[in-house]
Amino acid sequence: MSRPGTRLDAKKVNSELFTLTYGALVSQLMRDYENVEDVNKQLERMGYNIGVRLIEDFLAKTGSGRCYDFRDTAEKIQTGFRLYLGVTPTITNWSSAGDEFSLQFESNPLTEFVELPDHCLGLKYCNILTGVLRGALEMVQMDVTSLFVQDMLKGDSCTELRIKFIKRLEDAIPAGED
C-alpha cells in the first residue's frame, strides 16, 4: 500500500523502469559475450529487430505517410524519439548533399543511471538505437547507416547520432511468393 497523499508520476516510474531494465540487459550481454565488440553487434542486431516491428506502430499512431525527402525523414525520426523515449533530439549538421544529418541529445533516458567502467570504454551502450533506426527505415525502403559520434557517457558535452542515407530500396517480393 502506498502512503496516503503520496502520488507517483507513472510516466517517470515507467521511464526509470525501462532505463534500469535496459541497463540489466546490457550488463547481461557483457557477461555473456567475450568482448565489447560482440556486445555492440548484438545490441545493434536487437535494435534492428525492434525497429522492423516498431515502424508499424509508429505509422499507425502518427498516421504518417511516405517521406518526401530525407529532411522529412529526419523530422519523423525526431517524432519517434519523442513518442517512444520522451526526448526530442535536435536535428543538426546537415551535409551539403542533404543525405546525412545528426541528432543531438541533451539528455538520454537510456543512460540516466549509467557510468561506464574503464574496461568498457569501447562499449557503444546505446547501440540498440542505431539498429532500431536501420530496421525501421529498411521497412520503408530506405537503406541508412547510423553511428554515435559523441557520447556523454564517454565525456562528450552531448550525445550525437549521425545518420546517412545510402540508397532507396526497391520493393521486393520474397522468394516463392508471387
Side-chain angles (χ1 to χ4, degrees), residues 85 87 105-112 126 129 148 151-152 159:
L85 289 180
V87 295
F105 301 84
E106 296 303 318
S107 67
N108 182 346
L110 293 180
T111 62
E112 196 169 329
C126 294
L129 297 176
F148 284 95
D151 192 342
M152 289 190 303
T159 298

Side-chain angles (χ1 to χ4, degrees), residues 15 24 90 118 128 134 139 162-163 178:
S15 172
T90 304
D118 290 339
I128 199 165
R134 189 172 65 85
M139 292 297 104
R162 192 85 180 143
I163 303 165
D178 292 335

Side-chain angles (χ1 to χ4, degrees), residues 26 28-46 122-124 127:
V26 174
Q28 185 63 49
L29 288 172
M30 290 296 293
R31 285 191 291 278
D32 290 348
Y33 288 90
E34 294 293 320
N35 63 48
V36 172
E37 277 310 307
D38 290 339
V39 174
N40 292 338
K41 287 176 189 172
Q42 187 64 23
L43 286 170
E44 200 278 340
R45 188 176 305 128
M46 292 169 77
L123 177 65
K124 297 173 185 170
N127 217 35

Side-chain angles (χ1 to χ4, degrees), residues 18-84:
F18 175 70
T19 300
L20 293 171
T21 303
Y22 182 72
L25 169 77
V26 174
S27 179
Q28 185 63 49
L29 288 172
M30 290 296 293
R31 285 191 291 278
D32 290 348
Y33 288 90
E34 294 293 320
N35 63 48
V36 172
E37 277 310 307
D38 290 339
V39 174
N40 292 338
K41 287 176 189 172
Q42 187 64 23
L43 286 170
E44 200 278 340
R45 188 176 305 128
M46 292 169 77
Y48 175 84
N49 291 328
I50 292 169
V52 164
R53 290 163 181 79
L54 194 63
I55 188 67
E56 285 186 40
D57 184 65
F58 174 80
L59 294 173
K61 282 184 177 180
T62 62
S64 295
R66 281 218 179 266
C67 295
Y68 298 105
D69 58 20
F70 205 47
R71 288 188 184 271
D72 189 26
T73 302
E75 290 172 9
K76 288 180 180 173
I77 291 170
Q78 183 183 46
T79 300
F81 274 100
R82 186 178 70 246
L83 185 64
Y84 293 106

